[in-house]
Amino acid sequence: MTQQPHRAVVGTDQPRVDGRLKVTGKARYAADHGPAEGVDGIVHAVLVESSIGRGRITGIDTRAAENLPGVLRVIHHGNAPRLPYRDNPFPDSINPPGERLRAFQDDLVRFFGEPVGVVVATTLEVARHAARLVEVTYDVELPVVDLSRAPADEPETYARGDADTAWEAAEVHLEMTYRMSRNHHNAMEPHAIIARWQGERLTVWDKTQWVADPRNELAAVFGIPREAVRCLSPFVGGAFGNGGRTWVHSAIAALAAREVRRPVKLVLTRRQQYFTAGFRPGYEYTMRVGSDRRGRITAMVHDVRGESSRYERHSDDLSIGRMLYAIPHVRQAVRHVPLDISTPTWMRGPGWSSAAYTIESALDELAHELEIDPIELRMRNEPTQDPATGQPFSTRRLRECYDVGAREFGWHRRNPTPGVARDGDWLIGMGMAAGAYMTERAAAQAHVRLDANGTAVVQSATSDIGPGTHTSMTQVAADALGLPMGAVEFRLGDTALPPAPIQALAWTMASVGSAVQDACDRLRRRAIALAVDDERSPLHGVDPDDVAVERGRMHARDDPSRGETYRQLLARNNRPFLGLTGSYNPEESRFSMYAYSAIFAEVAVDARLGLVRVRRMLGVFDAGRIINPRLADSQALGGMIGGISQALLEHTVTDHRDGRIVNANLADYLVPVNADIPDMRAIYVDSVDDKADPIGVKGLGEIVIVGVAPAVANAVFNATGRRIRDLPITPEALLGL
Amino acid sequence: MFPFSYTNASSLQEALDHGQRGGRYIAGGTTLVDLMRETVERPDELVDISGLPLTEITMTPRGGLRIGALARMADVAAEPKVRNTYPVISQALELSASAQLRNMATIGGNIMQRTRCAYFRDVSADCNKRLPGSGCAALHGYNRTHAILGTSESCVCTHPSDLAVALAALEAVVHLVGPDGERDVALTDFLLLPGGTPHREHAVRPGELIAAVEIPAHPRPLRSGYLKVRDRQSYEFALTSAAVALHIRGGVIRAAKVAAGGVGTVPWKLTAVEDHLIGRRRSPQLWSAAADLATEGARPLDHNRFKIDLLKRTVERQLLIVGGTE
């Protein structure tokens, strides 16, 4: 098989190909679409949300709203048509088990802020005002929203060995309970959708992490074939997981558009983002760790309670507890606590970051108890094969992450005695933690078309929620085709394109990237085959394996002067283009495949005032091939900032009396500002993983947050001697030092 | 947002005429527009006063400082007269809001800004301030950021301004102009305790307008500064704050002006702290003993008990920062 001679742009620092569009406001996000895309006469929908946490709607008075000039319809359960709401039959649906929230199909209120009506009007201002004038009356019931008090479901359990007995028998055994607050994604772009019907065909411009899901879900909701739905999503302003599922507001927008027979735009307000677009569930996580005196961990027992809704059952993946260390006896019991809240969903590093917080905090507690350096303790429990499956690792360079991180961070300067290092009023501490995230891959397709002018268009129905997929795919395609990046355009975000999986699980590069690689490799070979078979080509008769392409010119490897360009080849053969579809269909791997991290944090704590400042952070990542260091840094720094935020700031507050989310806005729900973010650095250990996928990546977008929060918490302990087991770490928790 | 009419006042008299008929004054709009969008505020008429000539910052003949009500926060913070004479004012302003907001918001509006209580801002919640008689959802709700001083059964929210804390410490006076002429009210009398009428927040009479704020002359040299404790390092309201100004001669405190923020339903003048300091020699023990008096009369709620300790420590730290030690 022919291989390109070298990777010209893969692995190099490249600016985003769509950067200029974004910073000049020309990138069109879901709500930006309109007449330029042929969508005329858009009207505006605004949700009316419940002001109670549980109960029944007894009346809806829409008269004042409907009397406003410009109001077209007020739709609610009393006048909404019954919708088919078929089960979403598609195998890649990520709807969790249960009955999904439906658009105005009954009078039940399941949680505070549930949509109970929608106003459609000719302007946004009128629609917003009218929504405020809708008067809803309720039979109010007391909601149950307190994770710590509500009963839990039967546990889902994992066990190897006999962890409880081994823990009892261990020379050293610790038991701790950690609590993690509920977190909301708070992507910069709010959820937004424009829905347009043309007869029985529906087109939506939706904010989503994969266009296939709104298509599949809306087809199921309205009982129409999925071929009748098209979803477009060319740009996404961040998602972090909350654009994975197709939420009820998308169905409401499509319903409203059908009712008023006009295209409808619906944009959630920031406040509404907190109600029906998912969140990272809160956890109460009891951890028992047993080890011998030398730090060999013999048992780890996880007893977990996590938030879920009553109408669906959301499960995070906590399996990092099974694979991170060579522990013979492990038990995990995960209980879901059904509450009168909306359904949680995936949020960056879902499950992995939550469980890593407890595991890596517990390891730090054990290291302190045993008076062993935290890195050394981890080294002593480093497995040689996957502890859960027995499989060999594709690559696992966690030791190297520790070594590089310790050296670059100056770990040797850490005083193992907590509460001793000082800088003025500030206590100084260092902490570290490890992380892992699975390397997953999914089937994907990509189409490539090489035009007679020598440029190529590559297309796949994937998304770019921020990692820079437009750019990274362009790099892969450019190298495989032997074209400069400027001659390649990558298009995504349209169900009319070849199918791709959700942009999640950090698997886009492995999955779509491999499909792009396949398509472009095959197209290059097709062009070479055409040339070597063409008597008029200078390459006629050359072994195709001996032909390479650089900057759009095919040439013989041993005689670069012998060759011709794609343009010459196509022109001579009267071919307007060459095109084909490539694919990637991953097989079950016999390897254990994960990305790994070692995170190092230095904090300063003002012990009198309870203030924590992260002064330095270093993340060392074993994530396989890095396609573009600049994009990787953008992922890594963003993920680490998210982790700092999880450790110190983020906390969705629910009023237990009525289920109200008290801080459903960006003034009261705290995310970091620039002043909170320290000197940060990411290092990627050299680790192309050829066993993982054809392009050797292991996925970066999720691992970058895993281990960050415990590194910060461990640093706070080192600074103060105080172990805070609740996230976020607040000033009040640190007072009384 | 409820519909409203808008008038751009071209003269003080025109503004007062509209104000007397119920028009609401708007300048920077950084609070009012926000609350109108949440439908917490529903004025029928807005009277835009931002074009009126009330932006001057001047030293008064007696050595005080007069700041026009329409001076922008950013401009006041940067003004050398302010920085040099009352750094506590500049610091309080610069630790407020964001650069963008400080470029818009005015001094008068800053004093008039309304509470950040989440229940006040959520029109589906009970709030006596927004809807008298509806109850106080914060009293037994989530009240981590709420007040421990000056509260009542009707209302437990804080006054959010940092500037007002510095002004209260310095015993500033509010100059009002109205249909019946001009009058002066001490800032600490201008902002009202909630009592049973939390919807009454200040002493403004119908149609009255803040023209300026005046800080009286204090003995010199006067060291001053502002400390703000909060969860994140910028763009957040105070959990606790302390404005401190001290006149020290020969190591003895001759004048002390101290107020606290983030803890009171109004900016909280700490007279007991001030009294304890006067005539005493500065020392870490003095700062600590004085700060212990900061929480006299404090009543914590379910989630803000920590503010009692935190307030003492905040005041102590800021006394130390401003007053130093021998």
Side-chain angles (χ1 to χ4, degrees), chain B residues 87-118:
Chain B
V88 64
I89 301 277
S90 286
Q91 290 172 17
L93 286 167
E94 285 175 346
L95 291 168
S96 300
S98 66
Q100 293 82 357
L101 287 165
R102 294 194 295 271
N103 285 337
M104 283 298 290
T106 64
I107 297 304
N110 184 289
I111 295 167
M112 296 291 283
Q113 72 179 295
R114 307 198 68 188
T115 182
R116 301 301 304 189
C117 173

Side-chain angles (χ1 to χ4, degrees), chain A residues 78-79 108 199 217 230 238 240 318 332 338 443 454 514 519 539 674:
Chain A
N79 63 10
L108 283 179
E217 177 70 5
R230 183 176 180 191
F240 311 110
L318 305 178
Q332 277 187 312
S514 294
L539 292 167
N674 277 323

Side-chain angles (χ1 to χ4, degrees), chain A residues 8-31:
Chain A
V9 288
V10 165
T12 64
D13 184 286
Q14 296 290 336
R16 288 177 192 251
V17 296
D18 51 350
R20 179 173 292 271
L21 283 179
K22 287 185 170 176
V23 300
T24 56
K26 290 183 180 130
R28 295 177 77 76
Y29 296 82

